Amino acid sequence: MQHPHLPLEPFPTAFPTGPTASPFPPLEPHGQFQGHGPFSDWNAGADAHDLPTRENRLIAIGRFAFPPAPPLDDEGMAARDRRWTSRVVVFVTAFMLIFNAASIQNWSRQQAPGWVTATVQQLSDVWATQIGLLGADQPREGVREAYEDARDARFPGQDDTPPP
């Protein structure tokens, strides 16, 4: 608030004007300035949780219609953990089927010959071909090429034959 005897300025302050006046408050930590109170507006006794808040009416109705469930017991926690684990396993399996189809081919070629391995090998060949048409094998190929380039890299003056 501007004093009545001080002229209005573009940025009014409560500080007096004059040759020795400063736009900054004095350095005394708990001093008073012209009876206007402390320099800080900090109120140590204030608590933000005491302020009234307006709640949305739909939220209030929702809390009334659907009260929060009681906390889970040990059996409920175990069931929730099993659901989470099964979802993670399904997601990782789908991710690996899409982005790492070549591993199924390699695994099926390393198994002993038989009806099951021959079927898995044929299915994996078709699956890898279809995934290759979509371009989902490109990240795996990029990582593989980067690994091979790093493995085959040589320092200046080193012989050009990579170790076996």
Side-chain angles (χ1 to χ4, degrees):
M1 181 170 163
Q2 187 75 23
H3 262 305
H5 69 278
L6 294 176
L8 289 176
E9 298 177 10
F11 302 103
T13 62
F15 302 109
T17 57
T20 60
S22 170
F24 302 105
L27 297 176
E28 294 87 41
H30 298 292
Q32 300 287 327
F33 182 74
Q34 294 182 355
H36 292 293
F39 294 114
S40 174
D41 62 351
W42 176 257
N43 185 354
D47 186 6
H49 299 289
D50 292 338
L51 297 174
T53 57
R54 243 181 112 179
E55 189 175 58
N56 187 343
R57 290 182 182 157
L58 288 176
I59 293 174
I61 291 172
R63 281 199 193 120
F64 177 73
F66 305 103
L72 294 175
D73 58 350
D74 291 339
E75 186 176 328
M77 294 285 282
R80 184 181 68 184
D81 292 345
R82 282 191 301 270
R83 283 192 305 268
W84 180 85
T85 303
S86 61
R87 288 176 186 152
V88 168
V89 168
V90 167
F91 176 77
V92 168
T93 302
F95 186 85
M96 295 301 284
L97 279 173
I98 293 171
F99 293 105
N100 200 13
S103 292
I104 301 170
Q105 287 179 308
N106 294 339
W107 176 82
S108 64
R109 290 180 184 135
Q110 293 172 358
Q111 301 304 312
W115 179 83
V116 173
T117 55
T119 304
V120 169
Q121 184 175 359
Q122 290 173 355
L123 288 174
S124 65
D125 290 340
V126 171
W127 179 253
T129 303
Q130 294 299 318
I131 291 297
L133 292 175
L134 289 175
D137 62 340
Q138 290 179 352
R140 182 185 184 281
E141 290 297 323
V143 169
R144 183 75 177 167
E145 288 173 9
Y147 163 74
E148 289 174 354
D149 290 345
R151 184 191 63 195
D152 296 340
R154 297 287 163 246
F155 290 106
Q158 191 177 10
D159 58 346
D160 292 335
T161 57

